[in-house]
Amino acid sequence: MGVIISKFNNVSDTKPKDFVLEDWLMQTKKPPKDLKKLVDNYRKTKDKKDKLKIPCITVSASFKEKRNLDNIKKETGFICIDIDKKENPFLLIDGIKDYFKKHPSVYYIGNSVSNNGLYIIIKINKKKPLIKYFNFFKKQFLKNGVIIDESCK
C-alpha cells in the first residue's frame, strides 16, 4: 500500500477522505473524465468559483475528522512546495521543472491546476516540524530568485 494522504472535495471542504498519494498522482497524469472537465474549465475561465469545484489533497499529512493541525492522523514524510507564475513572472516554469526532476529528494513535480505554476513534492524527515522545512525551502528558493506560495504553508 502507498502513502496515505487526505483528499477533499474542494479547498473549502474540511472533511478528509483517506486516499493513496500515488493514485492521486496517477489521476493528475491521466485524469478521469469528470476531473479533466473541471480542470479544463477552470484553466479556460480562471474563475475562482470553478477552482472551488476541484478536489484537492494534503500531501504532508492525513487527517482524522477535520482538516486542522489538531486532527493530524499521520504525517507522510513529504512537503509540497507551490511555485506560481504570478509571483515569479520572469521564471521559465519548464526550466525549473527540468532542474528539479533531477534532484534526489524530489518525489514528484507537476503542473499546478491553473497550468501557470508547479507543485514539487519533496521527501523530508518527519522528526522536524513541517514549518521548519517550509521556512528552509522558502529561504533556499528565494536565494535563487524563486518565491514560493505562502498559502500552502
Side-chain angles (χ1 to χ4, degrees), residues 3-93:
V3 176
I4 301 298
I5 57 170
S6 288
K7 179 182 174 185
F8 301 86
N9 292 328
N10 54 57
V11 294
S12 299
D13 184 17
T14 60
K15 291 190 172 250
K17 295 166 202 72
D18 282 351
F19 208 80
V20 177
L21 176 60
E22 293 78 6
D23 292 346
W24 175 264
L25 297 175
M26 287 304 298
Q27 284 188 9
T28 65
K29 291 179 187 178
K30 294 183 180 184
K33 287 182 183 179
D34 56 338
L35 179 59
K36 182 169 175 27
K37 185 177 176 182
L38 291 170
V39 171
D40 288 346
N41 189 53
Y42 171 65
R43 287 179 175 173
K44 186 174 108 185
T45 66
K46 304 289 187 215
D47 188 333
K48 287 191 179 202
K49 290 179 188 172
D50 291 329
K51 187 176 185 180
L52 290 174
K53 298 174 185 174
I54 299 173
C56 60
I57 61 168
T58 53
V59 169
S60 298
S62 59
F63 291 85
K64 298 174 196 168
E65 303 90 33
K66 198 172 185 181
R67 180 178 55 191
N68 66 40
L69 293 176
D70 295 329
N71 277 294
I72 291 176
K73 187 184 332 182
K74 185 175 181 185
E75 293 182 4
T76 63
F78 292 102
I79 188 170
C80 187
I81 302 296
D82 188 28
I83 301 171
D84 292 321
K85 191 76 171 162
K86 68 180 177 185
E87 284 100 6
N88 301 283
F90 302 108
L91 287 181
L92 299 173
I93 296 296

Side-chain angles (χ1 to χ4, degrees), residues 57-142:
I57 61 168
T58 53
V59 169
S60 298
S62 59
F63 291 85
K64 298 174 196 168
E65 303 90 33
K66 198 172 185 181
R67 180 178 55 191
N68 66 40
L69 293 176
D70 295 329
N71 277 294
I72 291 176
K73 187 184 332 182
K74 185 175 181 185
E75 293 182 4
T76 63
F78 292 102
I79 188 170
C80 187
I81 302 296
D82 188 28
I83 301 171
D84 292 321
K85 191 76 171 162
K86 68 180 177 185
E87 284 100 6
N88 301 283
F90 302 108
L91 287 181
L92 299 173
I93 296 296
D94 287 338
I96 293 173
K97 195 173 184 179
D98 289 340
Y99 174 79
F100 278 104
K101 277 182 184 176
K102 300 169 190 156
H103 196 283
S105 293
V106 172
Y107 183 75
Y108 185 83
I109 186 166
N111 291 339
S112 64
V113 72
S114 68
N115 213 24
N116 288 318
L118 299 172
Y119 65 98
I120 306 168
I121 300 175
I122 302 171
K123 183 77 175 143
I124 58 172
N125 183 337
K126 289 191 256 184
K127 294 178 182 169
K128 293 183 182 176
L130 191 62
I131 191 66
K132 287 193 179 215
Y133 282 103
F134 183 86
N135 290 332
F136 169 79
F137 287 119
K138 179 181 171 182
K139 287 178 191 171
Q140 293 303 310
F141 279 66
L142 198 53

